[in-house]
Amino acid sequence: MKKKILFIRILLWGGLFSFVFFLFWQGIVPTGKIIYSRDYSDSNFFISDFTPKERFEKIEGTRLVNGNPIYFSLFTPRIFDKATLNIKYKNIEDVSEDERQNRVIEAGILVDGKNWRHELKPIENKIIDQLSLVWDNIKEGDLVFLQREKKYNSISDFLKNLPNHDEFAVYNYDLKTDFIINDYSITSEENTINHAIRGSYQFYTYIKDEVLDFEFDILDINKNKDSDSVDIFLYYENQMIATRHLDDDGIIEDKNETKNNRTINLLEENLPEGVYKIELKSNDDIITKQIKTKQNKLSFINKLWLYKSNKENINLFTDSKVLHAKTVYPTSLQNIQINTEELKIEETYTQFSTNIKKASNTKYTIIEIEHDGIVLACDEVFSFTENSMINPRMKKVGNNIDINNEGINYVLAKYKSPKKKDDWKIVEIEFDLTKAYREDGKYNFLISAPSFKLDDKLKNGILIDEISINLESVKLIDKIRKKFSNQ
């Protein structure tokens, strides 16, 4: 009897030791490699379910994602350097043929928690898949080059002898080319933006034989308890070349108190001709009340939050094919006029969207806004005057492109079509976790498909059967060796 009790105790202690060792092993991952998987037939500690709930349906151990975007997180007990996201899915498409052939689905990882910015990579691009069937195509590694009529024999030939910018589009590829405005001329007049802008923003500017000179008037409205510092970054050819910093105004409580305006000056001399990107990074307590500059080109990138300062009848120019707008203020509910179309903002805290039909014989679209206190987003740029418009970005093979009507003859993409397994598709996507945002032990991901719209009449989305994430980092023994070798 005593031997039997001793045996049971040994088993229990052995099981407990094995469980503790398993948790310890999972926590430190000494090999530097581990895989987390979820098949949606049950809950999962490491990979969360999707959010928000209204953008997906639970169907027999799978998830039908039919809203955009959808989010999920990965909990890891330690930091990793690389993640390979594997998604097993199939398309559910009760939509028109045009929508089916123009669908672009992407996955992203959060890289900037302050401004909610994600790095996006392709899951599936139906436009490129369709063009690959009818256009001449050249594949070199993970690059694919498509041409309507064969003119180039290799990708290197294309890169050495680029056609007119209007003739080609890129996807998931950073094509570095010189953007030069041939008829650009400097001006002695000061360009002033008197519309208050809330939170972070980015814009393009251009200089030639002149000083880059900007002055930002900053106000802290102190609606939250966070430190409200401001950072300004200047980029040239995707490289940061200058920074400015402004500390918090000293009011650390959320008392809605404000001090006098403060100023940040960004002045840089002896810069080469070309396009520059300026980013102001802050939280939503920061208001840019005014921007003064000697430059005559200034276009805001993708997003612009017009602070509620009771200004009316504001005109913006854009080259975007889509516009999104929302407001939190009942007094800012309005009808936004876009050429002959209207975008009705009928509810607070709800985003409204429309596709923009550019008027004939016009280069840019005018957006007429009745009241400020509104957040605007687009897929290109905004500007307060037509003359200050500048957009150096290449055309992108996305949901809003029209290959034929826009006269595109060439496409260069870093893209591989999903692999097929029975009725399912499988895709692998690599992310650099050293650049990712991690909070409370979690990396945050999204799946984006702008064509997915919640509609009771249509089954439109992707059915996800399984997600697995392969993580890699330095081996524990190598970390220890490196630490001792540096001492």
Side-chain angles (χ1 to χ4, degrees):
M1 186 66 181
K2 290 183 178 180
K3 289 182 178 181
K4 187 175 181 179
I5 293 173
L6 179 62
F7 179 72
I8 292 173
R9 285 179 176 175
I10 291 173
L11 282 178
L12 291 174
W13 279 106
L16 178 62
F17 175 79
S18 298
F19 179 70
V20 171
F21 180 76
F22 171 77
L23 293 178
F24 175 74
W25 185 274
Q26 293 287 98
I28 64 171
V29 192
T31 62
K33 296 183 178 181
I34 195 167
I35 301 174
Y36 296 112
S37 300
R38 176 163 192 171
D39 63 5
Y40 296 99
S41 60
D42 204 349
S43 60
N44 189 285
F45 177 76
F46 296 101
I47 301 176
S48 73
D49 208 341
F50 295 120
T51 60
K53 292 182 178 180
E54 62 268 18
R55 295 180 186 170
F56 71 94
E57 299 176 26
K58 298 180 180 181
I59 302 178
E60 298 178 354
T62 64
R63 297 290 184 267
L64 174 61
V65 176
N66 55 7
N68 179 66
I70 200 85
Y71 303 93
F72 67 96
S73 63
L74 168 69
F75 173 79
T76 64
R78 56 165 285 188
I79 295 173
F80 289 88
D81 298 329
K82 175 184 172 183
T84 303
L85 174 64
N86 299 270
I87 304 176
K88 182 181 177 183
Y89 72 99
K90 66 171 64 173
N91 298 96
I92 306 297
E93 299 174 320
D94 183 16
V95 295
S96 69
E97 185 64 24
D98 287 343
E99 286 183 279
R100 185 180 297 116
Q101 292 185 2
N102 286 282
R103 175 169 293 173
V104 177
I105 309 171
E106 297 175 317
I109 189 167
L110 185 65
V111 294
D112 185 345
K114 195 171 188 178
N115 296 303
W116 204 244
R117 184 169 59 86
H118 293 77
E119 177 191 8
L120 294 175
K121 293 194 175 184
I123 293 177
E124 184 172 3
N125 190 312
K126 286 290 189 69
I127 303 171
I128 294 177
D129 291 336
Q130 292 294 323
L131 289 178
S132 297
L133 299 176
V134 294
W135 283 18
D136 181 82
N137 66 83
I138 299 172
K139 294 182 179 179
E140 297 179 8
D142 56 358
L143 291 180
V144 57
F145 174 56
L146 307 172
Q147 43 189 338
R148 190 187 295 268
E149 296 181 4
K150 188 171 182 178
K151 177 181 177 182
Y152 300 94
N153 293 318
S154 67
I155 294 177
S156 61
D157 285 345
F158 173 74
L159 295 175
K160 290 176 184 176
N161 302 281
L162 291 174
N164 188 291
H165 280 204
D166 292 335
E167 285 191 66
F168 65 88
V170 297
Y171 179 69
N172 191 38
Y173 182 81
D174 183 18
L175 179 58
K176 294 182 179 179
T177 62
D178 294 330
F179 183 89
I180 300 298
I181 303 175
N182 294 321
D183 58 350
Y184 179 83
S185 59
I186 63 176
T187 177
S188 58
E189 296 181 4
E190 188 171 68
N191 181 12
T192 302
I193 295 176
N194 286 312
H195 298 282
I197 303 169
R198 186 168 185 177
S200 299
Y201 54 87
Q202 302 177 78
F203 62 83
Y204 293 120
T205 191
Y206 191 91
I207 65 168
K208 177 183 179 180
D209 301 327
E210 57 189 315
V211 174
L212 186 142
D213 187 0
F214 283 87
E215 180 181 289
F216 303 84
D217 289 344
I218 303 297
L219 180 67
D220 188 345
I221 58 177
N222 292 302
K223 287 185 177 291
N224 62 53
K225 295 181 180 180
D226 296 335
S227 175
D228 304 326
S229 60
V230 180
D231 289 288
I232 293 178
F233 305 98
L234 175 64
Y235 299 90
Y236 177 65
E237 295 184 343
N238 294 323
Q239 299 294 320
M240 187 190 302
I241 61 172
T243 64
R244 299 291 188 274
H245 177 79
L246 185 67
D247 287 329
D248 183 88
D249 64 0
I251 301 175
I252 60 175
E253 297 183 4
D254 53 344
K255 294 182 177 180
N256 291 342
E257 294 181 5
T258 61
K259 289 187 175 181
N260 294 331
N261 290 3
R262 296 181 295 160
T263 300
I264 306 178
N265 292 297
L266 178 62
L267 191 149
E268 296 290 331
E269 299 178 332
N270 303 317
L271 295 177
E273 177 183 2
V275 176
Y276 291 78
K277 185 177 79 172
I278 295 175
E279 178 183 21
L280 185 143
K281 186 177 289 189
S282 70
N283 63 26
D284 295 341
D285 266 2
I286 296 298
I287 308 299
T288 304
K289 296 202 69 178
Q290 188 180 76
I291 301 175
K292 295 179 181 178
T293 180
K294 297 293 179 62
Q295 275 61 61
N296 56 39
K297 297 294 183 183
L298 196 162
S299 293
F300 293 89
I301 305 169
N302 296 137
K303 180 182 175 182
L304 190 60
W305 186 349
L306 297 175
Y307 178 60
K308 182 67 173 174
S309 56
N310 299 318
K311 284 196 174 183
E312 299 180 346
N313 302 321
I314 303 167
N315 286 348
L316 284 170
F317 293 82
T318 187
D319 57 349
S320 177
K321 298 180 182 66
V322 64
L323 178 67
H324 311 284
K326 68 178 180 180
T327 184
V328 300
Y329 303 103
T331 54
S332 290
L333 296 176
Q334 59 186 288
N335 294 336
I336 297 176
Q337 191 74 29
I338 310 163
N339 293 328
T340 58
E341 306 291 328
E342 281 189 347
L343 177 60
K344 296 182 179 181
I345 313 302
E346 301 175 303
E347 300 176 23
T348 57
Y349 297 97
T350 302
Q351 179 171 283
F352 296 87
S353 303
T354 186
N355 292 324
I356 296 176
K357 298 177 182 178
K358 191 171 71 172
S360 59
N361 302 321
T362 60
K363 190 173 183 180
Y364 305 116
T365 298
I366 301 176
I367 302 171
E368 300 176 57
I369 303 164
E370 296 177 355
H371 311 281
D372 58 12
I374 194 164
V375 182
L376 300 170
C378 72
D379 57 2
E380 294 296 343
V381 300
F382 297 110
S383 185
F384 286 101
T385 65
E386 185 173 9
N387 290 335
S388 63
M389 281 288 292
I390 179 174
N391 189 355
R393 296 193 293 189
M394 303 289 176
K395 291 181 179 179
K396 179 183 176 183
V397 185
N399 287 278
N400 298 305
I401 199 167
D402 190 329
I403 294 292
N404 292 321
N405 288 336
E406 294 184 40
I408 295 171
N409 296 316
Y410 309 95
V411 169
L412 180 60
K414 187 177 182 182
Y415 172 73
K416 289 183 179 180
S417 300
K419 298 177 182 178
K420 293 184 179 180
K421 185 178 181 181
D422 300 325
D423 293 333
W424 297 91
K425 296 180 181 180
I426 298 173
V427 65
E428 293 184 356
I429 308 164
E430 290 187 1
F431 291 103
D432 182 359
L433 295 184
T434 62
K435 299 178 181 178
Y437 177 79
R438 185 172 184 265
E439 184 177 9
D440 298 329
K442 293 180 181 179
Y443 296 102
N444 295 281
F445 296 83
L446 67 72
I447 295 175
S448 170
S451 63
F452 292 173
K453 298 175 182 178
L454 297 176
D455 192 325
D456 294 334
K457 298 178 182 179
L458 299 176
K459 288 294 182 183
N460 176 27
I462 56 172
L463 190 67
I464 296 181
D465 181 62
E466 183 178 359
I467 284 180
S468 66
I469 304 175
N470 297 17
L471 299 171
E472 297 181 29
S473 187
V474 179
K475 293 180 181 180
L476 180 62
I477 187 65
D478 292 335
K479 277 191 173 184
I480 295 173
R481 287 171 179 167
K482 185 177 180 180
K483 184 176 181 180
F484 279 102
S485 65
N486 292 334
Q487 289 181 351

